[in-house]
Amino acid sequence: MTEAATELLTTADGRPLKEALATAQSRAKRRAFLLVLPLLVFVLLTFLVPIGYMLKRSVEHDGFSRSSPTLTQWFKENPEFDHMNPPEQAYAALVTDLAEMQATKNTGMAGTRINYTVPGSISLFKKGAREAAAMQPPFKGAMLALDPAWGAPELWYAMESASSELTTDFYKVAADRKLTETGWERGDDKQRIYLYLFFKTFVVSAIITVICLLLAFPVAHLLAILPMAKSSLLMILVLLPFWTSLLVRTTAWIALLQEQGIVNDALVGLGILADDNRLTMMYNMTGTIVAMTHVLLPFMILPLYSVMKVIPPSYARAARSLGATSWTTFRRVYLPQTLPGIAAGSLLVFILAVGYYITPALVGGADGQLISNLISFHMTKSNWSMAAALAAMLLAAILALYWIYDQLIGVDRLKLG
Amino acid sequence: MALPTYASPLERVWYYTYLVICTLIFIFLIAPILIVIPLSFNAEPYFTFTEKMLTFDPAGYSLRWYDTLLTLGHPGSDTMRDEAWWSAVWERSTWVQAAKNSFWVGLWATILATFLGTVAALGLSRPEMPYRRLIMAILISPMIVPIIIIAVGMSFFFAQACVPPDSIWSTIFGPFLSEKGCLVNSHLGVIVAHAVLGIPFVIITVTATLSGFDQSLIRAAHSLGANPRTTFFKVVMPLILPGVISGALFAFVTSFDEVVAVLFIAGPDQQTIPRQMFNGIREAISPAILAVATLLVIISVALLTTVELLRRRSERLRGITPH
């Protein structure tokens, strides 16, 4: 078709074809988008906004700033003061605020905020607030006489930072940094509880992913090569756990693995184990790993199966006929073709394991707790900002993994059963 | 799979070892689920098989834990089981209340998720859909983001999401919200939370069904004179219905099994079965939990069967024959 001929093409009512097509396409686009819009708005309001709200909570805490206007004002006017030796005016402002806190009963709120970065501050604040109204100048001497801790530089760093409503303090604490005399520093190695728990969560998730892969591979392969009638029967055995309540499965594992449980009873009954020497498999890390492996195994089997099902068996036969041993055939011909399934299953299981809550909470005991359980712990203690900061860090890790999943496999290729 | 005739003895040994390994893995998958069924008939308050149970002595078995489910929180356990007794069970028994809550929350969450999800999936599977990948990633994310993060965010937000008292909003939504008019501690809050969690499942199943949908059928319907509405209800809907129903079942199961969001945003009036079980496992673990577990296993078997039958029907309709 020549250039001239294209330009002449028009629709029945005389509009240029190109323009009519563009209109029609943008209308189709709009229509498709309008179908998705209600759900998008719903998810925005009930999912994205709450998560945004949580992120806001992680950088915002007005417990101290709201109840100490005088000191906040003083910090603003004297940004360069000496933390080692704050002047009399600073103490005067502090005493004014403490007396006001006592009157309005806000001491707990303010003390709690400082307590996040300098442990032990709640009682310090309560004591200070009780005495503040009766104090006479010079306030510095009076406060230090009351408790020398009021002169600690880390306390002044903490109060200066808390005088602003917006803060990154919770992330610093969550990254195991500590306030010292000279400001924020890397914490003592023995007290790095948060980062250690993040690290532990990732290691445990990796272990579970590897166990799941080792267990899922033979099963998925068997399902893929069996004739349809047999494999759909066996598939039900994979799907039933998938459809069974998580709490049912966790309960079952408690019944099986606890000290007076079925596995121990059987081992004792068979004479393999002495009665006073029962294995501790529940309420510790072993319990968490076993129960989580069971819960997450179908998420590994299903993607592996859907990849293995479409691998033509003729490749393996060709390799064999060309002289490869069965091991070489597996390693050089079959395994590489299953890699997309391995990647999809492993990433999915790892992502789900990192954020797991219920199973560790119920069967983990003290030793088998993961990062989600710590977030929940801070929530129950009303340490909302701390919980939010930890949750935000976990969310960042999950989103990074999700992005990798989307790039490698594509979310639209996620399948269920 | 049969062994090829040229297999060496070593390969034969490996082949049978392989079958044994697979059998063991299947046992690992299924045994924990089946084991709760006999244990729930234990006559003793133990979580393991008693000697009487192992020797199949009828005295070792009883229905007492199922009875507990009816009578917990219901004072008259020894009275005559007449109509008044049963109506008291229906009104007061802790587990029955939990079951009712679970059912209603699950039902409304499913309706919400299925309706919104199906409509969105129809849009998402149109080739003209803009930003398809990004929107899909957002809509699937409730399945990927750890439930604890969702629950924390919702518990912050739902406590603030209140309607002003004596406003028009409070008249419309008031009955579904908490006493203070907030989403937290309300049935609506739990329903909304569960609907969000169920949406990814609906999107995945319905888009999967639509991906095998022959778009020329729509053009054929149009050319035969059907308007868009007739086309949708007479041509599209019957074909995607199996996918929609299995998506709905997934959404229902998600809600029916969900405990973390309930722990964080629900109040004492929204006790569900999973929450009751969670508390039961944490505090006093009694075989009554196993009785509930058995009932839930029966429900999941029924749901799984339904989904499998639907999947086969859908494959048959779309002309994908099992090979």
Side-chain angles (χ1 to χ4, degrees), chain A residues 25 28-29 31-33 35-36 38-40 42-43 45-51 53-54 57 214-219 221-223 225-228 232-234 236-256 258 260-262 265 283 290 293-294 297-299 301 309 317 320 325-326 348 351-352 354-355 357-358 361-362 372 375-376 379 384-385 387-388 391 394-395 398-399 402 406-407 409-412 414-417, chain B residues 1 4 6-7 11 18-19 21-22 25-26 28-36 39 47-49 112-113 116-117 119-124 126 128-133 135-158 160 192 195-196 199-201 203-205 207 246 249-250 253 257 259-260 263-264 273-275 277-278 281-282 285 289-290 292-294 296-297 300-301 303-304 307-308 311-312 315 322-323:
Chain A
Q25 274 176 340
K29 239 182 195 178
R31 275 195 185 147
F33 190 74
L35 285 172
V36 184
L39 181 62
L40 214 54
F42 181 75
V43 168
L45 283 179
T46 57
F47 178 72
L48 297 178
V49 170
I51 286 184
Y53 209 78
M54 180 198 81
R57 267 287 172 93
L214 292 178
L215 294 180
F217 200 91
V219 168
H221 179 245
L222 185 71
L223 287 170
I225 58 172
L226 280 179
M228 200 63 180
S232 14
L233 210 64
L234 284 177
I236 289 176
L237 298 185
V238 177
L239 290 175
L240 184 60
F242 196 67
W243 279 87
T244 307
S245 163
L246 188 62
L247 288 150
V248 170
R249 285 180 279 170
T250 310
T251 316
W253 280 109
I254 295 175
L256 280 167
Q258 65 177 337
Q260 302 297 325
I262 293 165
D265 277 359
Y283 307 116
V290 172
T293 303
H294 182 249
L297 190 52
F299 290 98
I301 295 178
K309 204 172 54 174
R317 283 204 291 271
R320 290 304 299 272
T325 61
S326 48
L348 189 61
I351 289 174
L352 294 175
V354 165
Y357 171 73
I358 300 171
L362 290 175
S372 291
I375 295 173
S376 158
M379 284 300 284
W384 289 312
S385 292
L394 177 61
L395 182 66
I398 294 285
L399 288 183
Y402 187 39
D406 192 28
Q407 294 299 310
I409 298 122
V411 280
D412 46 349
L414 213 58
K415 280 201 194 89
L416 305 159
Chain B
M1 172 183 76
Y6 52 79
E11 280 170 0
Y18 168 71
L19 288 185
I21 292 173
C22 284
I25 298 170
F26 278 117
F28 170 77
L29 270 171
I30 217 76
I33 295 169
L34 298 183
I35 210 101
V36 298
L39 276 180
F47 239 52
T48 179
F49 290 105
L112 200 57
L116 291 173
V119 173
L122 286 168
L124 281 171
R126 290 196 179 180
E128 309 89 21
M129 181 65 205
Y131 308 111
R132 187 170 180 281
R133 197 162 179 162
I135 290 175
M136 191 85 171
I138 292 174
L139 296 180
I140 302 290
S141 60
M143 195 174 115
I144 297 292
V145 173
I147 177 70
I148 188 85
I149 295 180
I150 302 176
V152 167
M154 282 179 174
S155 81
F156 289 151
F157 182 67
F158 284 9
Q160 308 286 321
V192 160
V196 170
I199 280 166
F201 296 97
I203 296 275
I204 290 172
T205 49
T207 45
S246 47
L249 288 176
F250 267 112
V253 166
D257 191 23
V259 60
V260 186
L263 283 173
F264 279 84
I273 292 185
R275 184 175 178 174
M277 284 185 84
F278 188 84
I281 298 172
R282 277 208 144 170
I285 188 154
I289 303 279
L290 295 173
V292 184
T294 304
L296 291 181
V297 168
S300 52
V301 169
L303 288 175
L304 173 62
V307 171
E308 274 298 294
R311 196 177 55 83
R312 285 180 197 183
E315 281 178 358
H323 49 83

Side-chain angles (χ1 to χ4, degrees), chain B:
Chain B
M1 172 183 76
L3 270 179
T5 43
Y6 52 79
S8 67
L10 190 69
E11 280 170 0
R12 277 168 207 279
V13 172
W14 167 241
Y15 173 69
Y16 289 110
T17 322
Y18 168 71
L19 288 185
V20 170
I21 292 173
C22 284
T23 314
L24 289 176
I25 298 170
F26 278 117
I27 292 174
F28 170 77
L29 270 171
I30 217 76
I33 295 169
L34 298 183
I35 210 101
V36 298
I37 298 173
L39 276 180
S40 69
F41 296 101
N42 201 336
E44 307 291 331
Y46 300 136
F47 239 52
T48 179
F49 290 105
T50 56
E51 256 169 57
K52 276 183 183 164
M53 290 182 93
L54 290 175
T55 52
F56 296 103
D57 181 349
Y61 294 86
S62 84
L63 287 172
R64 64 182 278 201
W65 302 113
Y66 291 87
D67 203 54
T68 313
L69 297 187
L70 296 177
T71 51
L72 188 74
H74 168 267
S77 59
D78 294 325
T79 52
M80 265 258 292
R81 306 216 155 173
D82 49 13
E83 212 169 291
W85 187 87
W86 282 105
S87 84
V89 165
W90 183 248
E91 291 303 327
R92 286 210 295 270
S93 161
T94 315
W95 283 101
V96 175
Q97 297 314 308
K100 281 202 245 174
N101 275 332
S102 277
F103 176 77
W104 286 114
V105 166
L107 186 70
W108 285 111
T110 305
I111 290 172
L112 200 57
T114 311
F115 177 72
L116 291 173
T118 305
V119 173
L122 286 168
L124 281 171
S125 44
R126 290 196 179 180
E128 309 89 21
M129 181 65 205
Y131 308 111
R132 187 170 180 281
R133 197 162 179 162
L134 175 72
I135 290 175
M136 191 85 171
I138 292 174
L139 296 180
I140 302 290
S141 60
M143 195 174 115
I144 297 292
V145 173
I147 177 70
I148 188 85
I149 295 180
I150 302 176
V152 167
M154 282 179 174
S155 81
F156 289 151
F157 182 67
F158 284 9
Q160 308 286 321
C162 306
V163 291
D166 304 320
S167 66
I168 175 133
W169 300 108
S170 133
T171 334
I172 303 171
F173 292 111
F176 310 107
L177 298 171
S178 70
E179 276 173 32
K180 289 178 186 160
C182 299
L183 266 179
V184 79
N185 293 351
S186 75
H187 276 94
L188 189 63
V190 182
I191 289 169
V192 160
H194 283 183
V196 170
L197 296 174
I199 280 166
F201 296 97
V202 178
I203 296 275
I204 290 172
T205 49
V206 180
T207 45
T209 316
L210 282 167
S211 73
F213 184 80
D214 188 352
Q215 296 284 335
S216 59
L217 288 176
I218 295 179
R219 285 197 290 275
H222 284 319
S223 78
L224 291 169
N227 60 28
R229 191 153 54 122
T230 318
T231 311
F232 179 76
F233 283 108
K234 297 271 177 188
V235 179
V236 181
M237 200 59 195
L239 282 171
I240 66 165
L241 197 60
V244 174
I245 295 177
S246 47
L249 288 176
F250 267 112
F252 185 77
V253 166
T254 308
S255 163
F256 205 68
D257 191 23
E258 205 288 320
V259 60
V260 186
V262 174
L263 283 173
F264 279 84
I265 62 173
D269 287 342
Q270 289 93 40
Q271 291 281 357
T272 58
I273 292 185
R275 184 175 178 174
Q276 200 70 25
M277 284 185 84
F278 188 84
N279 291 344
I281 298 172
R282 277 208 144 170
E283 288 149 21
I285 188 154
S286 97
I289 303 279
L290 295 173
V292 184
T294 304
L295 296 176
L296 291 181
V297 168
I298 292 168
I299 292 176
S300 52
V301 169
L303 288 175
L304 173 62
T305 317
T306 317
V307 171
E308 274 298 294
L309 291 177
L310 283 172
R311 196 177 55 83
R312 285 180 197 183
R313 186 187 136 83
S314 147
E315 281 178 358
R316 211 171 48 239
L317 279 178
R318 278 156 45 187
I320 308 169
T321 43
H323 49 83

Side-chain angles (χ1 to χ4, degrees), chain A residues 342-384:
Chain A
I342 293 178
S346 304
L347 261 172
L348 189 61
V349 168
F350 188 79
I351 289 174
L352 294 175
V354 165
Y356 234 72
Y357 171 73
I358 300 171
T359 310
L362 290 175
V363 304
D367 162 50
Q369 303 290 310
L370 301 179
I371 196 73
S372 291
N373 307 97
L374 188 69
I375 295 173
S376 158
F377 169 80
H378 278 300
M379 284 300 284
T380 54
K381 296 273 172 209
S382 300
N383 296 339
W384 289 312

Side-chain angles (χ1 to χ4, degrees), chain A residues 98-120:
Chain A
L98 280 174
E100 180 64 23
M101 283 178 210
Q102 180 73 1
T104 53
K105 297 199 169 68
N106 274 327
T107 326
M109 285 277 286
T112 308
R113 169 65 185 90
I114 306 298
N115 204 59
Y116 284 118
T117 44
V118 182

